[in-house]
Amino acid sequence: MDYQMIQWVFSGIGVFFIPIILKSIFVPHPIINITLEEKSFLSGHHRAMRRLFFECYGMLAICYVSIIGTSIDTEAHPITDQFPFVENSNLPTSLILFFEIVALMIFIFLFSVSLFKKSLRKVFKNNNKRKTRKAYIWFFTISFVYFLILLYTFGYMINLFLNLLNTKLQLNKETTMEVIFYMPTSLSMFGLSIIVLVLYLLLRFLLFPMISIIQFIFTPDITATITLNNGTILSNKYILRPSIDGNILIGDKPNISDGCNKTMLAKQTIVRVDFNWNQDSIEMDAAHNDSEHTITNNVFTSSQCESTKPLPSKSLLDEEIDKILNKKSILLPPDYKK
């Protein structure tokens, strides 16, 4: 890889096209921009590819922003043996230590909160909108400060190592970014990649409590009303995951646990799935509350559906359709006729 190619990769144009390239390699199927309802039916390997795509792009974006933003001028900041390991540091040592201590305290706080996420419902769902707004402001302010400190620390550590390589290998480059472009051997580039990967994994671990809380706050509670081809209606069920042999595992709780009553359904026995958004964790847009989305049996193996039990009578379908015609985003069954 020559200098121009590396420079293009680290440019804004390269970062813009990287997710497109990754999507074509890792996720050839259209499962990136999907709804939460569709996500419930993703198979295990599709979930893994989707997660890998977002992790790879997140890593590239974080590396790009942090390394560029904390690039060190090797002439103005030569390497030393004392913390913060460069002369004429942009920030005083005492201030750097203060921010690192603040980040550690925030991590302990977020980690403790993530262990008791259910208690957040009382904080973020409050009849007093003023208190709820203050809770949002405090949480996102703390999370933003925490993320900035970790981002700066991540980039600083990588650039510090690049500055050390510049000194030890006598590359005589003016900035640490140039050291990446002119690594003398492929072995040194491989070693740098390993260090970046290890530091990113550490960063990802430190960000996990914050991400976990944000996902808990903003992910709605989605239940499903499942209509089987024998007329049975299963209400307020959770789609836990697609399982073996074309089956779907459902339960009465959102997570697979010992206290969750689970049921395995064959896809060909399902006529319709109605999704209901139960936004009880936070105050979201009223347009999403109590909304319902329907998937008919043409999403599954409809050819197998005819070989099983007969479809419910027309009167039963009429009754069920009349109940939900006033809901949003309703798709009638393909075999239904007025």
Side-chain angles (χ1 to χ4, degrees), residues 71-308:
S71 180
I72 299 175
D73 186 342
T74 57
E75 295 182 355
H77 305 280
I79 197 74
T80 67
D81 295 331
Q82 297 178 351
F83 183 83
F85 307 112
V86 290
E87 291 184 357
N88 306 320
S89 176
N90 293 329
L91 294 176
T93 303
S94 58
L95 190 59
I96 295 177
L97 290 174
F98 170 76
F99 281 128
E100 299 304 324
I101 294 174
V102 169
L104 178 61
M105 294 176 63
I106 295 177
F107 171 77
I108 296 175
F109 169 74
L110 294 176
F111 182 77
S112 302
V113 172
S114 65
L115 297 178
F116 305 96
K117 291 193 292 290
K118 292 184 179 180
S119 61
L120 293 177
R121 297 181 186 274
K122 299 179 181 179
V123 178
F124 290 99
K125 186 182 179 182
N126 196 311
N127 293 330
N128 192 328
K129 293 185 178 180
R130 185 176 181 181
K131 291 183 178 180
T132 303
R133 190 179 299 109
K134 286 184 178 179
Y136 276 115
I137 293 174
W138 275 106
F139 174 74
F140 285 108
T141 300
I142 293 174
S143 299
F144 182 72
V145 172
Y146 179 66
F147 179 73
L148 284 184
I149 295 176
L150 291 184
L151 200 66
Y152 178 86
T153 304
F154 176 73
Y156 177 78
M157 293 180 67
I158 295 177
N159 280 290
L160 186 64
F161 180 74
L162 291 174
N163 198 359
L164 179 63
L165 287 179
N166 183 62
T167 302
K168 296 298 183 181
L169 300 178
Q170 298 181 352
L171 300 178
N172 299 322
K173 301 303 175 183
E174 295 181 358
T175 64
T176 51
M177 282 301 302
E178 294 184 29
V179 177
I180 298 178
F181 301 148
Y182 291 99
M183 294 296 285
T185 62
S186 58
L187 182 61
S188 59
M189 178 62 77
F190 177 76
L192 176 62
S193 302
I194 295 297
I195 291 177
V196 172
L197 180 60
V198 171
L199 290 177
Y200 175 77
L201 292 177
L202 177 61
L203 174 67
R204 189 65 176 81
F205 169 76
L206 295 175
L207 288 175
F208 177 77
M210 183 185 73
I211 296 175
S212 176
I213 294 173
I214 292 176
Q215 288 178 342
F216 178 80
I217 293 176
F218 284 100
T219 301
D221 190 29
I222 300 178
T223 59
T225 299
I226 304 172
T227 303
L228 304 181
N229 58 7
N230 62 355
T232 303
I233 298 177
L234 305 175
S235 302
N236 298 323
K237 300 298 181 182
Y238 293 92
I239 307 295
L240 299 179
R241 64 187 181 192
S243 189
I244 56 177
D245 297 332
N247 298 324
I248 294 178
L249 185 65
I250 65 173
D252 57 355
K253 293 183 180 180
N255 297 318
I256 300 177
S257 60
D258 295 336
C260 177
N261 297 321
K262 298 176 282 291
T263 304
M264 188 78 74
L265 294 177
K267 288 184 179 180
Q268 62 266 27
T269 64
I270 300 175
V271 176
R272 185 173 63 247
V273 179
D274 303 314
F275 290 98
N276 306 283
W277 286 45
N278 303 319
Q279 193 67 51
D280 58 351
S281 57
I282 58 171
E283 302 258 350
M284 291 289 284
D285 189 351
H288 292 294
N289 293 337
D290 299 326
S291 64
E292 184 170 317
H293 306 276
T294 300
I295 294 181
T296 58
N297 62 349
N298 58 353
V299 175
F300 310 120
T301 54
S302 57
S303 60
Q304 297 176 351
C305 182
E306 298 177 357
S307 62
T308 59

Side-chain angles (χ1 to χ4, degrees), residues 10-22:
F10 278 89
S11 67
I13 299 176
V15 172
F16 176 77
F17 281 103
I18 281 175
I20 300 176
I21 297 174
L22 288 177

